[in-house]
């Protein structure tokens, strides 16, 4: 094996700054996993990405970016049954897709340890909902483990493989985005010997053939195993009781919220209370609570979302005959992220202890100001083909922001980078929920509202995830929808994992088995199908117009690679050729004297490289293409109705050098989302 | 136990996360030091708001380090809890105001990135003087520079602006980390020569 880095080679007592996600991955590595997979999703993506990136240095590690979460979890189960410790990761909503294998896992049990790492997203900064996946365990019976910090993310993950094997459950390791994307100190542990990671599937019909009476038997078996696990958890180190002083009030919390709690108590100067820190938040051990309740007459549960712990603990308290009061959601909100501020405020209200003056002042100041500030939302990268797609669609069906009148075309949104098209200035989506909801919902709308045309959008990664049956369904049932597949060849938003459309990787090496999307769609029964370069906006817009006139399911494939990947590859290739750049240089420029400020490029297309410059010495403000940002996609050139934008070919302007460096910087921080 | 909290804010693509990583690595040289702090990456598409926290924790002794009431830290900074705020975009500085208290130091970049809402003529971009006057209502320790310009003038590139700002942080606050710890990390990373120079330019501001 090659050299690698600390993530790969670090041994006991080494330390480094790592991301929560990387700590989870490292824990799994220390536990000797041989399988790791996921369908990429923020905030969990780095868990598998870091393993995938380093696998050339790691003996006997298989990694996979699966087409969806259902496949990914099944893969982990297959590996486990072959005697290979396996890690599967996904974002919170991924479990909806993987809920079927998750429902069966308790019945069949595992062979080698299996961990399902879930990145939850309270406040939904990168998701279309903020579901709390812990509730699933009330019926899947998968134990749930919640690390509070980077160190626990590693240690808990590592140790949970033993628990998984001993009690034959897949273990859920839950990490909210605050932990996934927390970067802090991690002390490494030792790695297991990896040379003997070899699969051997041993038949086990009693457990693996799960139907009829056998399923019922397996049901009874896992309920029994769950009871045994509870006994184990009454004594294990995963849960901790911190004894207090004289106070008869106790606090219960878990995960990152526990970290907020400890900081809040420190800031408020409170250290008299008994505290229960839960590592495992499912199942809960009655014995542990018997111990904790001793001497208390009041309990406060500090947790996020709807109150999964409170729901369970009140039941346990009733059964144990606890006479005190139990509080929770009266003091902490059910929606949005529960922040450190939120915990401090709740504790202060509960204990009737005032918050520090600086805190109150800052909160007030923020409230005063925040309403007055211009909102800022993300937008497509400069040169992104999705911008051209939305411009073309709106050109064909009308900009709603231009005149405020309602469009008579329904635009169905879906999940991916292009989701940003729902934001201003495009405002080009009428609904957005989950993966592949666009065409499914759009199909029915097309059947029941004949007055409106329906356009459904989908990205290539989302289409391959679960869109194929949706498209077949639309075709078979004579839907009247224009389906636009925005094929940029990558799962771009989560850090550029490949899709079946990916033809060349970032180094220019052919993947060899890329799918021809047009052929595939044709095979599914679509007869109206065209592939088009979205950057040819005029042609694309007229194509959309004529497609909308046709009956049935029409498919347009907007095919152009994600601009970031294209630039990245060109840079790498250029470097390999010793910096010799073959092409003549060019620049796009707005000619002040021709521009009439019609705003077509500035507000409708809204490429961020086009900026408003202050005129000097009485001169009017003017539009200007910032050469340091422009990636020369040429779309604005095509958009300008007044031929005010021109392409200049020339040698070397001093500002030209900026372009490459700026791109360097952009690439060093590839955004991750949804 | 002592703490020093830094909030770094700006937009996706400005090098905010790199700044946080460099600063956190500087904590590794001592065993009695801990560091935490989450990044807000979600929603960090082009031009979206990004923030990252760097929270240094200095323990008095080993027993404090193993005390469960002392050794667990939130990845967030509470309202008013920042010793320093660095903002790489002027308007965003005002969004970071919630982290400030009377003793905080603010360092912000003067080059604006105009949000879509302003582009569409729905709102107006605040003047620098307005930003400063709002900050002055809270703290006197306010420093602002055109880091974009400094970076372009010195490096013919925007890439170094975050490291220049990092230098300014060390120049203008009593951050209890030695500059040599940062220099050591910059020296071992990519683009070491430029970064060390950028840091030095910031230190001299
Ligand atoms: S060519 Fe025009 S649209 Fe394309 S990146 Fe440059 S300014 Fe933007
Ligand atoms: S589209 Fe042409 S005329 Fe209109 S604002 Fe842009 S450059 Fe000026």
């Amino acid at each position: 094996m090659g050299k690698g880095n600390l993530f790969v080679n670090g041994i006991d007592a080494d330390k480094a700054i790592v991301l929560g996600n990387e700590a989870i991955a490292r824990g799994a590595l220390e536990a000797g996993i041989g399988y790791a997979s996921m369908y990429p999703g923020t905030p969990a993506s780095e868990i598998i990405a870091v393993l995938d990136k380093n696998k050339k240095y790691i003996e006997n590690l298989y990694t996979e970016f699966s087409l969806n979460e259902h496949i990914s979890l099944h893969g982990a189960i297959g590996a486990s049954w072959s005697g290979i410790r396996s890690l599967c990761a996904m974002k919170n909503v991924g479990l909806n897709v993987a809920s079927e294998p998750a429902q069966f896992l308790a019945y069949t049990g595992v062979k080698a340890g299996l961990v399902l790492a879930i990145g939850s997203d309270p406040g939904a900064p990168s998701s279309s909902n903020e579901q709390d996946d812990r509730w699933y365990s009330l019926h899947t019976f998968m134990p749930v483990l919640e690390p509070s910090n980077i160190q626990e993310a590693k240690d808990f993950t590592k140790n949970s493989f033993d628990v998984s094997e001993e009690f034959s459950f897949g273990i859920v390791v839950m990490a909210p985005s605050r932990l996934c994307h927390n970067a802090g100190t991690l002390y490494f542990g030792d790695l297991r010997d990896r040379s003997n990671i070899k699969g051997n599937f041993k038949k086990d019909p009693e457990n693996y053939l799960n139907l009829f009476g056998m399923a019922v038997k397996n049901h009874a078996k896992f309920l029994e195993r769950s009871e045994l696990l509870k006994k184990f958890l009454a004594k294990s180190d995963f849960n901790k009781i911190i004894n207090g002083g004289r106070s008869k009030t106790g606090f219960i919390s878990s995960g990152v919220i526990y970290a907020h709690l400890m900081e809040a108590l420190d800031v408020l100067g409170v250290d008299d209370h008994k505290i229960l820190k839960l590592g495992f938040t499912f199942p809960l051990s009655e014995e542990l609570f018997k111990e904790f309740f001793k001497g208390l007459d009041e309990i406060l549960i500090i947790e996020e979302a709807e109150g999964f712990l409170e729901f369970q603990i009140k039941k346990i308290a009733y059964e144990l005959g606890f006479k005190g009061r139990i509080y929770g959601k009266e003091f902490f909100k059910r929606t949005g992220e529960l922040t450190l501020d939120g915990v401090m405020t709740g504790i202060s209200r509960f204990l009737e202890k005032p918050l520090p003056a600086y805190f109150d002042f800052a909160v007030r100041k923020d409230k005063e100001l925040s309403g007055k500030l211009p909102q800022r939302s993300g937008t497509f990268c400069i040169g992104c083909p999705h911008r051209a797609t939305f411009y073309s669609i709106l050109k064909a069906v009308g900009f709603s922001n231009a005149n405020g009148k309602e469009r008579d075309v329904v635009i169905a949104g879906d999940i991916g980078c292009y989701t940003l098209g729902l934001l201003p200035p495009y405002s080009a989506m009428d609904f957005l929920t989950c993966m592949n909801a666009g065409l499914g919902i759009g199909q029915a709308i097309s059947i029941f509202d004949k007055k409106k045309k329906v356009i459904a959008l989908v990205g290539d990664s989302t289409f391959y995830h679960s869109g194929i049956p949706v498209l077949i369904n639309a075709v078979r049932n004579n839907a009247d929808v224009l389906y636009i597949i925005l094929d940029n060849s990558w799962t771009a938003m989560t850090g550029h994992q490949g899709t079946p459309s990916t033809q060349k990787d970032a180094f220019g090496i052919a993947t060899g088995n890329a799918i021809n999307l047009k052929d595939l769609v044709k095979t599914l029964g679509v007869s109206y199908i065209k592939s088009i370069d979205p950057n040819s906006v005029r042609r694309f817009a007229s194509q959309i117009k004529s497609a909308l006139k046709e009956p049935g399911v029409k498919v347009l494939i907007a095919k152009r690679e994600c601009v970031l990947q294209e630039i990245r590859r060109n840079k790498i290739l250029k470097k390999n050729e010793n910096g010799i750049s073959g092409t003549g240089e060019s620049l796009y420029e707005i000619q002040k004297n021709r521009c009439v400020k019609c705003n077509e490029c500035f507000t409708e297309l809204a490429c961020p490289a086009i900026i408003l410059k202050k005129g000097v010495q009485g001169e009017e403000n003017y539009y200007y293409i910032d050469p340091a940002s422009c990636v020369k996609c040429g779309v604005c050139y095509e958009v300008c109705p007044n031929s005010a934008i021109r392409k200049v070919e020339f040698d070397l302007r001093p500002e030209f050098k900026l372009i490459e460096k700026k791109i360097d910087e952009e690439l060093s921080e590839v955004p991750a989302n949804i | 136990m002592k703490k020093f909290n830094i909030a770094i804010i700006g937009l996706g693509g400005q090098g905010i996360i790199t700044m946080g990583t460099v600063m956190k690595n500087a904590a590794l040289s001592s065993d009695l030091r801990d560091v935490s702090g989450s990044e807000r990456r979600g929603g960090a598409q082009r031009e979206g708001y990004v923030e990252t926290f760097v929270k240094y924790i200095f323990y008095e002794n080993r027993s404090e380090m193993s005390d469960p009431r002392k050794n667990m830290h939130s990845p967030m900074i509470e309202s008013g809890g920042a010793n320093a705020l660095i903002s790489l975009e002027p308007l965003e500085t005002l969004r970071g105001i919630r982290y400030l208290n009377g003793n905080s130091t603010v360092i912000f970049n003067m080059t604006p990135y105009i949000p879509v809402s302003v582009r569409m003529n729905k709102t107006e971009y605040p003047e620098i003087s307005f930003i400063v006057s709002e900050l002055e209502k809270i703290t006197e320790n306010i420093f602002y520079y055109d880091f974009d310009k400094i970076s372009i003038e010195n490096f013919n590139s925007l890439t170094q602006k975050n490291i220049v700002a990092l230098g300014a942080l060390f120049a203008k606050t009593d951050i209890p980390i030695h500059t040599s710890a940062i220099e050591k990390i910059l020296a071992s990373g990519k683009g070491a020569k430029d970064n060390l120079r950028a840091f030095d330019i910031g230190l001299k501001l």
Side-chain angles (χ1 to χ4, degrees):
Chain A
M1 288 283 115
K3 282 214 311 287
N5 46 34
L6 214 52
F7 175 81
V8 174
N9 301 321
I11 50 162
D12 200 16
D14 280 343
K15 60 173 175 170
I17 299 296
V18 306
L19 216 50
N21 279 340
E22 293 167 348
I24 291 172
R26 169 70 196 195
L29 201 60
E30 287 182 10
I33 52 160
Y35 175 98
S37 73
M38 83 181 311
Y39 177 75
T42 311
S45 304
E46 294 87 358
I47 299 173
I48 303 301
V50 68
L51 290 165
D52 183 67
K53 196 172 75 189
N54 285 298
K55 76 173 162 197
K56 53 181 177 292
Y57 307 121
I58 304 169
E59 199 177 350
N60 292 327
L61 177 66
Y62 174 87
T63 62
E64 175 179 304
F65 286 109
S66 316
L67 279 197
N68 66 38
E69 295 86 348
H70 187 270
I71 301 171
S72 177
L73 182 52
H74 272 137
I77 293 171
S80 160
W81 288 358
S82 306
I84 303 289
R85 285 187 162 189
S86 60
L87 173 69
C88 172
M90 57 188 62
K91 68 179 294 168
N92 59 345
V93 292
L95 189 53
N96 299 334
V97 181
S99 63
E100 202 156 15
Q103 292 290 349
F104 284 95
L105 195 46
Y107 281 82
T108 62
V110 304
K111 196 63 71 189
L114 185 154
V115 168
L116 173 56
I118 297 179
S120 63
D121 201 25
S126 328
S127 305
S128 51
N129 81 19
E130 47 174 7
Q131 73 186 49
D132 177 357
D133 281 349
R134 300 181 302 177
W135 292 96
Y136 265 106
S137 288
L138 291 178
H139 47 103
T140 63
F141 275 76
M142 286 176 90
V144 179
L145 190 51
E146 294 183 54
S148 295
N149 63 10
I150 306 275
Q151 192 63 43
E152 285 186 0
K154 197 270 288 173
D155 294 344
F156 278 14
T157 307
K158 179 181 194 171
N159 297 335
S160 62
F161 282 91
D162 295 334
V163 181
S164 169
E165 279 160 16
E166 191 173 340
F167 299 94
S168 198
F169 282 111
I171 310 285
V172 174
V173 171
M174 281 288 265
S177 27
R178 281 287 165 201
L179 178 57
C180 293
H181 291 162
N182 181 2
T185 324
L186 176 72
Y187 288 85
F188 292 100
D190 275 329
L191 291 160
R192 275 200 177 191
D193 174 34
R194 302 192 57 85
S195 60
N196 54 7
I197 297 178
K198 281 191 197 79
N200 177 14
F201 175 79
K202 287 213 187 77
K203 295 184 189 179
D204 182 0
E206 222 180 277
N207 287 309
Y208 299 165
L209 291 174
N210 196 67
L211 81 169
F212 310 142
M214 295 184 276
V216 178
K217 247 195 226 155
N218 283 342
H219 189 177
K221 280 197 293 192
F222 81 66
L223 291 178
E224 229 169 78
R225 296 202 309 272
S226 190
E227 288 306 314
L228 290 174
L229 175 58
K230 280 187 194 171
K231 288 224 167 63
F232 165 81
L233 291 177
K235 299 272 175 291
S236 90
D237 294 341
F238 289 106
N239 304 320
K240 238 186 249 147
I241 293 175
I242 302 173
N243 284 313
R246 273 173 311 168
S247 167
K248 290 190 170 312
T249 300
F251 297 138
I252 302 176
S253 192
S254 66
V256 170
I257 304 301
Y258 171 80
H260 291 336
L261 170 67
M262 297 315 280
E263 181 127 1
L265 296 179
D266 188 45
V267 174
L268 293 169
V270 177
D271 61 3
D272 199 33
H273 302 80
K274 196 175 182 183
I275 299 170
L276 173 58
K277 176 191 190 302
L278 290 168
F280 273 95
T281 50
F282 184 90
L284 296 181
S285 145
E286 287 82 358
E287 250 176 274
L288 180 69
F289 280 88
K290 211 192 246 168
E291 174 71 31
F292 180 70
F293 287 158
K294 266 186 209 153
L296 297 180
D297 52 24
E298 216 179 27
I299 308 264
L300 178 67
I301 300 163
I302 303 103
E303 65 176 322
E304 208 144 36
E306 285 90 345
F308 179 66
L309 291 178
E310 191 177 334
F311 177 83
Q312 296 182 83
I313 291 168
K314 281 184 169 163
K315 177 169 176 280
I316 292 175
Y318 173 80
E319 279 162 6
L320 290 175
F322 177 64
K323 292 285 182 306
R325 301 285 310 265
I326 297 180
Y327 302 93
K329 282 296 139 187
E330 299 90 336
F331 292 92
F332 304 99
K333 59 183 189 167
R334 288 162 197 268
T335 62
E337 181 184 17
L338 182 56
T339 57
L340 174 55
D341 276 16
V343 173
M344 280 176 65
T345 313
I347 297 282
S348 136
R349 262 178 56 216
F350 178 76
L351 295 178
E352 293 174 355
K353 197 173 165 42
L355 290 157
Y358 72 80
F359 180 94
D360 279 336
F361 179 75
V363 170
R364 227 183 23 248
K365 201 71 219 150
D366 180 52
K367 265 211 195 102
E368 245 172 69
L369 253 182
S370 58
K372 292 190 210 151
L373 303 181
Q375 285 309 305
R376 190 186 293 275
S377 49
T379 185
F380 301 116
C381 301
I382 293 171
C384 173
H386 295 331
R387 175 176 289 107
T389 295
F390 281 100
Y391 176 83
S392 307
I393 293 172
L394 295 178
K395 215 56 210 166
V397 306
F399 286 83
S400 66
N401 54 310
N403 42 24
K405 81 166 167 42
E406 212 183 306
R407 264 190 304 264
D408 58 356
V409 173
V410 176
I411 306 178
D414 223 303
I415 306 289
C417 280
Y418 54 99
T419 303
L420 291 172
L422 69 78
L423 299 173
Y426 314 105
S427 307
M429 276 177 199
D430 294 309
F431 55 89
L432 179 88
T433 59
C434 60
M435 299 282 279
N436 289 295
L439 180 56
I441 294 173
Q443 170 188 334
I445 294 176
S446 84
I447 291 167
F448 292 109
D449 186 344
K450 299 278 185 216
K451 278 204 229 81
K452 296 197 185 73
K453 297 281 183 200
V454 177
I455 298 179
L457 308 175
V458 74
D460 53 322
S461 182
T462 302
F463 177 69
Y464 295 119
H465 175 281
S466 49
I468 293 172
V470 187
L471 178 54
I472 299 175
N473 192 71
V475 172
R476 303 284 300 176
N477 295 292
N478 305 316
D480 183 8
V481 179
L482 170 57
Y483 195 41
I484 301 182
I485 308 179
L486 296 86
D487 183 2
N488 71 353
S489 295
W490 296 94
T491 314
M493 204 149 209
T494 49
H496 295 98
Q497 295 79 17
T499 80
S501 277
T502 312
Q503 284 174 334
K504 275 186 279 175
D505 69 10
F507 299 92
I509 297 162
T511 51
N513 54 1
I515 283 181
N516 182 323
L517 184 54
K518 200 171 171 186
D519 288 353
L520 172 64
V521 170
K522 203 179 284 168
T523 314
L524 302 183
V526 178
S527 52
Y528 187 109
I529 164 163
K530 294 202 161 63
S531 187
I532 187 160
D533 178 358
N535 281 9
S536 309
V537 287
R538 287 187 193 193
R539 227 158 51 87
F540 193 8
S542 71
Q543 189 63 255
I544 292 168
K545 265 190 199 157
S546 46
L548 280 173
K549 289 187 192 121
E550 302 293 325
V553 175
K554 291 82 59 180
V555 174
L556 292 179
I557 301 173
K559 192 165 182 57
R560 179 173 267 271
E561 188 176 23
C562 167
V563 70
L564 289 188
Q565 283 301 80
E566 195 192 317
I567 293 170
R568 180 177 287 150
R569 181 179 316 108
N570 288 344
K571 263 184 58 78
I572 292 170
L573 293 180
K574 213 162 142 190
K575 225 193 226 153
N576 294 346
E577 288 159 16
N578 291 323
I580 302 161
S581 101
T583 53
E585 309 297 7
S586 62
L587 192 72
Y588 286 91
E589 187 178 75
I590 297 178
Q591 306 169 74
K592 267 194 243 176
N593 55 340
R594 301 193 75 146
C595 172
V596 300
K597 290 219 201 123
C598 69
N599 280 336
E600 194 75 23
C601 64
F602 188 73
T603 348
E604 315 282 60
L605 178 66
C607 171
I610 304 175
I611 53 181
L612 183 67
K613 274 231 167 178
K614 281 218 168 76
V616 276
Q617 293 166 352
E619 188 193 25
E620 245 187 272
N621 294 349
Y622 59 95
Y623 291 140
Y624 172 77
I625 295 178
D626 175 19
S629 314
C630 168
V631 302
K632 296 175 277 178
C633 70
V635 174
C636 59
Y637 173 73
E638 202 177 316
V639 154
C640 176
N642 302 302
S643 310
I645 300 180
R646 68 171 176 189
K647 188 177 179 184
V648 199
E649 315 263 354
F650 73 112
D651 299 334
L652 281 176
R653 273 199 195 180
E655 69 245 51
F656 179 72
K657 284 226 181 88
L658 295 181
I659 294 169
E660 240 168 72
K661 297 221 177 155
K662 162 88 182 186
I663 287 160
D664 242 351
E665 175 198 42
E666 301 242 316
L667 291 182
S668 71
E669 232 175 315
V670 171
N673 205 325
I674 300 200
Chain B
M1 183 172 62
K2 280 200 207 76
K3 298 180 195 172
F4 195 91
N5 293 339
I6 303 142
I8 312 173
I9 62 180
L11 308 180
Q14 286 191 318
I16 305 273
I17 288 170
T18 314
M19 271 171 99
T21 310
V22 170
M23 294 175 74
K24 284 171 183 164
N25 272 287
L28 286 177
S29 52
S30 161
D31 272 351
L32 285 176
R33 223 181 269 156
D34 199 352
V35 64
S36 169
S38 68
E39 301 156 357
R40 237 319 171 232
R41 297 190 172 193
Q45 305 83 20
R46 295 300 92 174
E47 322 249 315
Y49 176 79
V50 182
E51 69 183 7
T52 181
F53 303 127
V54 178
K55 305 177 61 178
Y56 291 114
I57 298 108
F58 305 88
Y59 297 109
E60 306 289 341
N61 48 45
R62 298 239 157 231
S63 78
E64 214 177 54
M65 239 177 124
S66 51
D67 179 351
R69 286 190 193 264
K70 298 276 175 203
N71 68 5
M72 183 61 73
H73 309 281
S74 161
M76 301 182 78
I77 295 176
E78 80 273 19
S79 283
N83 298 82
L85 168 74
I86 309 179
S87 166
L88 290 186
E89 207 283 340
L91 163 62
E92 299 312 314
T93 318
L94 292 180
R95 257 186 271 276
I97 228 166
R98 79 183 91 144
Y99 300 119
L100 299 179
N101 62 57
N103 297 317
S104 311
T105 302
V106 187
I107 295 166
F108 78 88
N109 180 16
M110 290 164 66
T111 300
Y113 282 71
I114 306 298
V116 169
S117 54
V118 174
R119 217 171 241 273
M120 292 171 74
N121 259 331
K122 296 229 163 106
T123 46
E124 258 176 63
Y125 195 94
E127 297 290 336
I128 297 283
S129 58
F130 173 76
I131 295 172
V132 173
S133 73
E134 285 302 312
L135 292 171
E136 274 170 346
K137 291 182 192 161
I138 302 170
T139 173
E140 313 173 328
N141 316 315
I142 306 162
F143 303 92
Y144 50 104
Y145 308 95
D146 194 335
F147 291 119
D148 282 49
K149 201 164 145 226
I150 295 173
S151 180
I152 287 191
E153 279 171 4
N154 287 282
F155 303 95
N156 200 15
S157 149
L158 290 170
T159 319
Q160 261 69 37
K161 69 177 170 202
N162 57 346
I163 306 296
V164 179
L166 192 60
L169 170 77
F170 278 77
K172 306 300 176 196
T173 66
D174 51 356
I175 181 170
I177 294 281
H178 212 276
T179 49
S180 65
I182 297 284
E183 281 157 357
K184 221 171 109 190
I185 288 143
L186 294 177
S188 63
K190 266 197 260 167
K193 216 180 94 222
D194 283 353
N195 282 336
L196 284 168
R197 193 155 73 87
F199 187 62
D200 192 53
I201 291 171
L203 280 176
K204 291 188 179 130
L205 283 174

